Amino acid sequence: AVLMGAILLLAGFAGVTLLLLAQSHRAARTRLSRIKAFSDHVVENMPIGLVATDGRQRVAVFNQVAESVLQTRAAIVIGRPAQHVLPAALWAPVAAADASHAAILEKEVDCTLAGGRVIPLEIGAGRLMDENDGYLGSILLFKDLSEIRTLRNEIARNQLESGGNRGWLN
């Protein structure tokens, strides 16, 4: 009877422990799901283009701004080698950051799209590393500078015109 009581007591403890572990696992999975949904929402709605590759340099993330600027759909490029789907002006800084092991490489480039249209971009490229310095992939952030460049040109033209008029009035 004592042995049977001990076995039942152990079984009860094991059952309670398993129940607590199952609840903890379910809560952790729910939190992880919320965090993933939040990060996916942030990536999709950020105001700059984002392309991330995995450790084999295949496109893993391609947000809406990247689709709009590069005039291609994420469904077409996800999973494909980045060097084959990204314009050379975008892939070169990613490859350079990888080769030099640079944390971040920033520059402005003129990017030629498939249709021959050239757009100015401000880009930042870098390597994605885990906590043990293991290579996870690359990240490329970019912003279309077309409007900014147009405004700069208008300001310069206005300054030239007003500078010329000032000389004429004086």
Side-chain angles (χ1 to χ4, degrees):
V2 173
L3 182 61
M4 185 62 111
I7 291 174
L8 288 175
L9 185 62
L10 285 175
F13 282 139
V16 168
T17 303
L18 286 174
L19 180 63
L20 291 174
L21 285 173
Q23 285 180 327
S24 174
H25 176 70
R26 190 174 340 128
R29 197 166 56 186
T30 301
R31 282 192 301 271
L32 183 60
S33 175
R34 286 182 183 159
I35 290 169
K36 184 180 180 333
F38 176 76
S39 64
D40 288 348
H41 182 72
V42 167
V43 166
E44 281 304 315
N45 293 298
M46 62 191 314
I48 59 176
L50 168 73
V51 178
T53 65
D54 61 17
R56 298 181 320 171
Q57 295 300 345
R58 295 188 182 278
V59 176
V61 177
F62 198 83
N63 74 353
Q64 291 175 355
V65 174
E67 285 182 337
S68 175
V69 170
L70 299 179
Q71 300 172 345
T72 189
R73 292 189 352 247
I76 294 172
V77 298
I78 299 253
R80 296 188 55 207
Q83 66 190 39
H84 296 154
V85 295
L86 292 178
L90 289 180
W91 175 247
V94 173
D98 280 346
S100 68
H101 299 287
I104 296 278
L105 182 100
E106 294 180 14
K107 62 194 272 185
E108 286 187 19
V109 297
D110 287 330
C111 181
T112 304
L113 300 178
R117 187 174 139 231
V118 177
I119 56 172
L121 297 174
E122 177 182 8
I123 64 170
R127 297 166 47 91
L128 297 172
M129 309 298 283
D130 67 12
E131 62 274 357
N132 298 321
D133 286 333
Y135 179 72
L136 297 174
S138 301
I139 188 165
L140 172 68
L141 300 167
F142 56 91
K143 183 168 122 180
D144 186 349
L145 297 177
S146 297
E147 290 180 25
I148 294 171
R149 214 174 255 184
T150 300
L151 289 172
R152 283 181 189 160
N153 291 340
E154 285 181 31
I155 290 170
R157 187 177 60 240
N158 288 339
Q159 286 177 343
L160 284 174
E161 288 174 1
S162 64
N165 287 342
R166 245 186 258 138
W168 180 75
L169 292 174
N170 291 333

